[in-house]
Amino acid sequence: MKLSRILGVSYRSLLTSYRDTGNISNLLYFPIIDVLMIGFIGAWAQGSVGQGNFMTSVLGGVVAWTTMFRASLDIAGGFLIEMWDSHLINLFATPLALHEIVLGYMLMGIVQCTAIFCYSSFLLWLFYGINIFAAGLILIPYV
């Protein structure tokens, strides 16, 4: 197992993901929609329920859900695109091992998870003034 091969698969996945304008718009558009839609519902429920941390908890869950959903969709979509375009056969013809291919896609998923989490957290702070990072280390198992 070589790190350069894993990074190569990740880089290839990065290039194919970010050259598609539809994928870029999905990464930027749907977190905004999720944060706004659930934020409005959370603001309404906050007024109805009247408890202090309800909206913060709900919106924190939306950020975590959006992060994991988009990353899992991109990892699974990467394998699906490889199969549709018959590139998976080409990858197996190279000296790459199966675990190197899987680790490359997982690394790309972790990078995308981090980027989407930071972007969604910024949107949460921008629209509602909620700093999700104020939760501290408890945020790690929550995500």
Side-chain angles (χ1 to χ4, degrees):
M1 179 167 69
K2 289 188 175 182
L3 183 62
S4 62
R5 292 179 183 175
I6 295 170
L7 292 175
V9 171
S10 295
Y11 182 67
R12 182 178 180 276
S13 174
L14 177 76
L15 289 179
T16 57
S17 294
Y18 292 110
R19 287 187 178 172
D20 181 20
T21 56
N23 191 22
I24 293 172
S25 66
N26 284 340
L27 289 175
L28 298 176
Y29 175 71
F30 284 111
I32 291 174
I33 296 301
D34 289 340
V35 166
L36 284 177
M37 183 178 66
I38 302 299
F40 288 142
I41 294 170
W44 170 79
Q46 179 76 27
S48 298
V49 175
Q51 294 180 357
N53 293 329
F54 179 75
M55 189 167 167
T56 304
S57 300
V58 168
L59 288 173
V62 166
V63 168
W65 176 75
T66 301
T67 302
M68 291 300 136
F69 175 71
R70 292 301 312 166
S72 65
L73 189 66
D74 289 335
I75 292 171
F79 280 117
L80 187 62
I81 289 171
E82 294 291 336
M83 290 179 61
W84 277 343
D85 294 339
S86 300
H87 292 157
L88 202 57
I89 295 170
N90 295 335
L91 286 176
F92 286 137
T94 65
L96 288 171
L98 179 62
H99 62 275
E100 291 172 338
I101 296 170
V102 171
L103 285 174
Y105 278 113
M106 286 176 62
L107 179 64
M108 190 60 214
I110 290 170
V111 169
Q112 287 181 348
C113 269
T114 305
I116 292 170
F117 182 76
C118 291
Y119 176 66
S120 297
S121 299
F122 173 72
L123 292 174
L124 194 63
W125 173 78
L126 182 69
F127 293 139
Y128 300 105
I130 296 173
N131 184 8
I132 198 167
F133 295 110
L137 295 177
I138 195 70
L139 195 62
I140 294 170
Y142 182 66
V143 171

